[in-house]
Amino acid sequence: MGLVVQKYGGSSVADAEGIKRVAKRIVEAKKNGHQVVAVVSAMGDTTDELIDLAEQVSPIPAGRELDMLLTAGERISMALLAMAIKNLGHNAQSFTGSQAGVITDSVHNKARIIDVTPGRIKASVDEGNIAIVAGFQGVSQDTKDITTLGRGGSDTTAVALAAALDAEVCEIYTDVDGVFTADPRVVKKARKIDWIAFEDMLELAASGSKVLLHRCVEYARRYDIPIHVRSSFSGLQGTWVSSEPVVRKTQQQGDKQVEQALISGVAHDTSEAKVTVVGVPDKPGEAAAIFRTIADAEINIDMVVQNVSAASTGLTDISFTLPKTEGRKAIDALEKNKGAIGFDSLRYDDQIGKISLVGAGMKTNPGVTADFFTALSDAGVNIELISTSEIRISVVTRKDDVPEAVRAVHSAFGLDSDSDEAVVYGGTGR
Amino acid sequence: MGLVVQKYGGSSVADAEGIKRVAKRIVEAKKNGHQVVAVVSAMGDTTDELIDLAEQVSPIPAGRELDMLLTAGERISMALLAMAIKNLGHNAQSFTGSQAGVITDSVHNKARIIDVTPGRIKASVDEGNIAIVAGFQGVSQDTKDITTLGRGGSDTTAVALAAALDAEVCEIYTDVDGVFTADPRVVKKARKIDWIAFEDMLELAASGSKVLLHRCVEYARRYDIPIHVRSSFSGLQGTWVSSEPVVRKTQQQGDKQVEQALISGVAHDTSEAKVTVVGVPDKPGEAAAIFRTIADAEINIDMVVQNVSAASTGLTDISFTLPKTEGRKAIDALEKNKGAIGFDSLRYDDQIGKISLVGAGMKTNPGVTADFFTALSDAGVNIELISTSEIRISVVTRKDDVPEAVRAVHSAFGLDSDSDEAVVYGGTGR
């Protein structure tokens, strides 16, 4: 039995009862013969409450100090969790991000992990302790200041530690049963996915699935650490995310390999807006000027589409999507450079939604794209933008059409839980 | 203008308003040309709330984890204070005890400072920053674990940093105006002391005065760091505690040295109980056996008195006082060793109080002791135990007599605020 890294989110440790429940769960893994490192987030709403306090003393809290403040949150939950475990008769020690060797760059509030030196954690578990580690936090390599990793940072801490400790698996405990073929709040017949490849999970995360963050999956893929997303409220198997299909023991058939589905799932995202730059001269360098302006404003964009230019005018339109929260900044930046770029006008539309179909199967199955468009068309959904990768196809529609579109696509590809079998194409998948 | 260390207690930073007020005060000192290092406690009741949480998950929280938990308290207050200062347009950086170089032994929950290596603090203030440091916490030299210094630990942090940084003064901001000649809640006419020598302050602290803890004064004396105890709610001068009388500029007389009073003040303490060991054989080794038993139980005792033995029986009684909280433990330990020690019975009395008169003047003025007993006698207060040092005399009385006894002594030695002058003896004081 090797080492497992478990991660518990804020909702799992929201109060003393939650902490005691998580403590029992951790002790079980230890009793089963594993070395256990548990990464924990701040309790429930602690982080939001601390941000409230910060805003009471300063309208724009300094980054370094905000990180110092917010890291108090995990300090509280991890110490309490270690106490609760000791109370169950097992040795536990809590460690801050800094003590756990989570080394980051110096970008406060959204630092990136650049190294993990888990010497103290390793020594602690080798002595027989359960190590509890603060998620979300690290220490800057250059300034030795405390940093935080931004939203979802605890998942990344867990995966990074699992990689550095060469763990068997990184278990991400959450309040849902795993990764689903679609958001169960939108699609009642969504199915839990037993196994999904890193690549498909990355596309789902990039397309609006909230269960795992893109950054965390990226990290796990780079170091080939299997992730097991599961509920902290049940003992059920959740979703495995890894490079190779997991093997399950079944009583009837002996070892059984979980198979790769052709289509992994349908994701949607209504947090983006669309900007259209109207009347752009159709000549080299124009698009570059627009996207240089956007990049200089430090805005990440998602989909980009350039219309075919009208021969009569020599002008074209360029549309792109971006997070709604960046909308104002993008418009301001473009307006400021209107003369230099050369365009007629800007249109801003925040009533859009994006629907994405993700699956390794579409690489070898050209029919997938056609079926996708047919499903949308049959549901009466109009398509405004299209973007594809090797294993994903995304469209932008009216925001109001999103739920119906997601359900239609989910059903058309046989993903509904009462379908006997997923749609099978001639290809082999991968 | 040199460096000043300021310390703000939990009541001064109980909420966002308090933090903003303290921030202004710190910035004033900076504007006056000082380098400023501010040590801060946890906000208001934070520490008690965290202890509550700990008790919800574990009846006896592990020491290492309790320290990890409690240190979240100062982390919050110091980060908020740094933000509030930055919001006033001044640069500030917060530092944990560990970052500030507060190195301690490994005794969790009541660690002792064994070294201070304030390199980061020094660099920060030399760059023009105001440094905010978490009080009450440090890092163990041996285990690198986070430690706390116990009750009143933030004062000790401040004095230790002041010593390590060679500060001009260590200002302890609190919710009273300074050190008084008696507890103002008991003696309405108590006077604020302008200056008091370390030795007298040590005796007052040991005798029940709560303003400064013994340990903190001891540290300041060892490194000769002047302490200025003052209110965080007013701009008034408070009480200076130092080895040499402070010099004040006055408009009328030019420089004026504050004079040493013969008597510094009257302290009282009702937190102790008295244990009497009855019927002890009056022979060598008996007292040793008793106090070895007490010491082995790790109980600190205060006063000890052995009665003259009755010639007829060859038996004597030995009484001692100790904190009430240790009473049960002491009785149990003595009963357990009753056979080995050899005594008749034990009496336990928690209805006692201690009144102490402190002043360097009594060294050279034998009349002080007589006047002290006369004052008590005139007030009808019966004396049960007596103990003296070179600059202190303490008596144990009935607990109910304490307020009246304190007022009588305070008045007899001319300490009342409406007295024209303190009582003057023939001696010179010191």
Side-chain angles (χ1 to χ4, degrees), chain A residues 339-350:
Chain A
I341 302 169
F343 59 85
D344 282 348
S345 61
L346 295 174
R347 278 206 300 266
Y348 182 74
D349 180 356
D350 61 4

Side-chain angles (χ1 to χ4, degrees), chain A residues 189-391:
Chain A
K189 295 178 173 176
R191 277 202 268 212
K192 193 188 72 190
I193 300 173
D194 289 330
W195 172 72
I196 182 170
F198 285 130
E199 289 70 21
D200 284 27
M201 191 64 230
L202 279 174
E203 292 283 4
L204 281 180
S207 305
S209 166
K210 302 274 189 302
V211 187
L212 286 177
L213 267 91
H214 193 270
R215 200 163 151 188
C216 149
V217 183
E218 217 175 58
Y219 209 107
R221 181 174 63 160
R222 194 183 326 148
Y223 293 97
D224 199 15
I225 296 296
I227 297 178
H228 186 188
V229 182
R230 57 195 306 195
S231 167
S232 69
F233 297 87
S234 81
L236 299 175
Q237 285 277 318
T239 301
W240 286 81
V241 187
S242 59
S243 53
E244 296 294 327
V246 289
V247 172
R248 291 269 177 73
K249 302 263 181 207
T250 61
Q251 278 191 307
Q252 290 78 22
Q253 304 153 288
D255 286 2
K256 181 192 172 195
Q257 181 160 305
V258 175
E259 284 177 25
Q260 164 90 49
L262 292 182
I263 298 300
S264 287
V266 186
H268 70 274
D269 190 352
T270 53
S271 69
E272 296 192 337
K274 181 175 73 170
V275 173
T276 304
V277 188
V278 180
V280 181
D282 191 0
K283 61 177 193 201
E286 276 303 305
I290 289 171
F291 293 109
R292 172 59 53 209
T293 300
I294 296 297
D296 287 348
E298 294 191 347
I299 296 166
N300 287 318
I301 59 166
D302 181 17
M303 295 164 70
V304 179
V305 174
Q306 176 166 352
N307 293 0
V308 177
S309 83
S312 56
T313 60
L315 295 177
T316 186
D317 298 344
I318 294 180
S319 294
F320 59 91
T321 61
L322 78 180
K324 275 179 202 168
T325 47
E326 306 279 23
R328 173 48 49 203
K329 209 157 67 167
I331 296 294
D332 288 350
L334 288 169
E335 285 290 357
K336 221 175 116 188
N337 289 302
K338 187 172 178 179
I341 302 169
F343 59 85
D344 282 348
S345 61
L346 295 174
R347 278 206 300 266
Y348 182 74
D349 180 356
D350 61 4
Q351 292 303 306
I352 62 159
K354 184 172 71 166
I355 297 113
S356 303
L357 184 71
V358 171
M362 66 179 71
K363 255 189 190 173
T364 45
N365 290 291
V368 170
T369 307
D371 289 353
F372 181 62
F373 290 138
T374 304
L376 291 170
S377 160
D378 288 352
V381 174
N382 193 42
I383 297 169
E384 304 187 11
L385 295 178
I386 300 171
S387 139
T388 60
S389 81
E390 280 213 316
I391 59 171

Side-chain angles (χ1 to χ4, degrees), chain A residues 6-176:
Chain A
Q6 302 186 329
K7 179 261 171 176
Y8 295 92
S11 59
S12 301
V13 292
D15 53 21
E17 285 317 304
I19 286 170
K20 287 196 258 188
R21 190 166 35 80
V22 166
K24 272 188 206 147
R25 180 134 220 163
I26 291 172
V27 164
E28 260 171 50
K30 175 80 179 166
K31 280 184 180 164
N32 287 339
H34 290 288
Q35 290 190 320
V36 187
V37 175
V39 173
V40 66
S41 303
M43 294 169 74
D45 302 324
T46 309
T47 302
D48 290 336
E49 287 164 16
L50 290 174
I51 290 174
D52 273 0
L53 262 177
E55 285 169 352
Q56 284 177 47
V57 300
S58 173
I60 307 163
R64 179 188 187 278
E65 302 307 323
L66 190 59
D67 280 353
M68 186 67 96
L69 178 74
L70 296 184
T71 49
E74 296 87 42
R75 198 177 189 86
I76 293 170
S77 55
M78 76 188 193
L80 291 171
L81 187 52
M83 287 175 195
I85 291 171
K86 285 181 91 90
N87 196 44
L88 297 175
H90 289 259
N91 283 327
Q93 289 189 312
S94 66
F95 296 92
T96 64
S98 169
Q99 290 176 338
V102 180
I103 317 287
T104 73
D105 61 21
S106 303
V107 183
H108 284 292
N109 312 148
K110 47 178 181 180
R112 292 190 77 92
I113 296 177
I114 52 184
D115 196 10
V116 180
T117 54
R120 288 184 71 175
I121 303 298
K122 184 120 192 36
S124 182
V125 295
D126 283 348
E127 280 168 24
N129 295 307
I130 294 166
I132 312 296
V133 178
F136 178 68
Q137 54 179 252
V139 61
S140 150
Q141 188 170 46
D142 294 337
T143 63
K144 310 295 173 210
D145 286 330
I146 301 304
T147 53
T148 65
L149 308 177
R151 290 270 161 199
S154 293
D155 288 3
T156 310
T157 301
V159 171
L161 268 175
L165 292 164
D166 199 19
E168 262 179 20
V169 57
C170 179
E171 296 184 330
I172 306 278
Y173 285 89
T174 174
D175 49 6
V176 295

Side-chain angles (χ1 to χ4, degrees), chain B residues 64 101 115 125 134 179 206 208 232 295 302-303 351 371:
Chain B
R64 178 188 187 279
D115 196 10
V125 296
V179 181
S232 68
D302 180 17
M303 295 164 70
Q351 294 300 307
D371 289 354

Side-chain angles (χ1 to χ4, degrees), chain B residues 151-408:
Chain B
R151 290 270 162 200
S154 294
D155 288 3
T156 310
T157 302
V159 170
L161 267 175
L165 292 164
D166 199 19
E168 263 178 19
V169 57
C170 178
E171 297 184 330
I172 307 277
Y173 285 89
T174 176
D175 49 6
V176 296
D177 286 335
V179 181
F180 280 74
T181 51
D183 185 338
R185 285 168 302 185
V186 173
V187 183
K188 291 222 163 46
K189 295 177 172 175
R191 277 202 269 212
K192 194 190 71 191
I193 300 173
D194 289 332
W195 171 73
I196 183 169
F198 284 130
E199 289 71 19
D200 284 27
M201 192 64 229
L202 279 174
E203 291 284 4
L204 282 180
S207 304
S209 166
K210 302 275 190 301
V211 187
L212 287 178
L213 267 92
H214 193 269
R215 198 162 152 190
C216 149
V217 183
E218 217 175 59
Y219 209 106
R221 180 174 65 161
R222 192 182 327 148
Y223 294 96
D224 200 15
I225 296 296
I227 297 178
H228 186 187
V229 182
R230 58 196 306 195
S231 167
S232 68
F233 297 88
S234 80
L236 298 176
Q237 285 279 316
T239 301
W240 285 80
V241 189
S242 58
S243 53
E244 296 294 327
V246 290
V247 172
R248 291 269 177 72
K249 302 263 180 207
T250 60
Q251 276 193 308
Q252 290 78 22
Q253 304 152 288
D255 285 1
K256 182 193 172 196
Q257 181 160 305
V258 174
E259 283 177 26
Q260 163 91 50
L262 292 182
I263 299 299
S264 286
V266 186
H268 71 274
D269 190 352
T270 54
S271 70
E272 296 192 337
K274 182 174 72 170
V275 172
T276 304
V277 188
V278 180
V280 181
D282 192 1
K283 59 177 193 201
E286 277 302 307
I290 290 170
F291 294 110
R292 171 61 50 208
T293 300
I294 298 296
D296 286 349
E298 295 192 344
I299 296 165
N300 287 318
I301 59 166
D302 180 17
M303 295 164 70
V304 179
V305 173
Q306 175 167 354
N307 293 1
V308 176
S309 83
S312 56
T313 61
L315 295 178
T316 185
D317 298 345
I318 293 181
S319 295
F320 60 90
T321 62
L322 77 180
K324 275 179 204 170
T325 48
E326 306 279 23
R328 174 47 50 201
K329 209 158 64 165
I331 295 294
D332 288 350
L334 287 170
E335 285 291 358
K336 219 174 119 189
N337 289 304
K338 186 173 178 179
I341 302 169
F343 59 86
D344 283 349
S345 61
L346 295 174
R347 279 208 299 268
Y348 182 74
D349 181 355
D350 61 4
Q351 294 300 307
I352 61 160
K354 185 172 70 165
I355 298 112
S356 302
L357 184 71
V358 171
M362 65 180 71
K363 255 189 193 174
T364 45
N365 290 290
V368 169
T369 306
D371 289 354
F372 181 61
F373 290 138
T374 304
L376 291 170
S377 162
D378 288 352
V381 174
N382 192 44
I383 297 170
E384 305 186 12
L385 295 177
I386 301 171
S387 140
T388 60
S389 81
E390 279 213 315
I391 58 171
R392 176 188 50 79
I393 175 162
S394 301
V395 295
V396 165
T397 67
R398 286 294 87 200
K399 188 179 172 186
D400 292 343
D401 288 340
V402 167
E404 187 49 38
V406 172
R407 283 189 286 268

Side-chain angles (χ1 to χ4, degrees), chain B residues 11-31:
Chain B
S11 59
S12 302
V13 292
D15 54 20
E17 285 317 303
I19 286 170
K20 288 195 257 187
R21 191 167 34 80
V22 166
K24 274 187 204 149
R25 179 134 221 164
I26 292 172
V27 164
E28 261 171 49
K30 176 79 179 166
K31 281 184 180 164

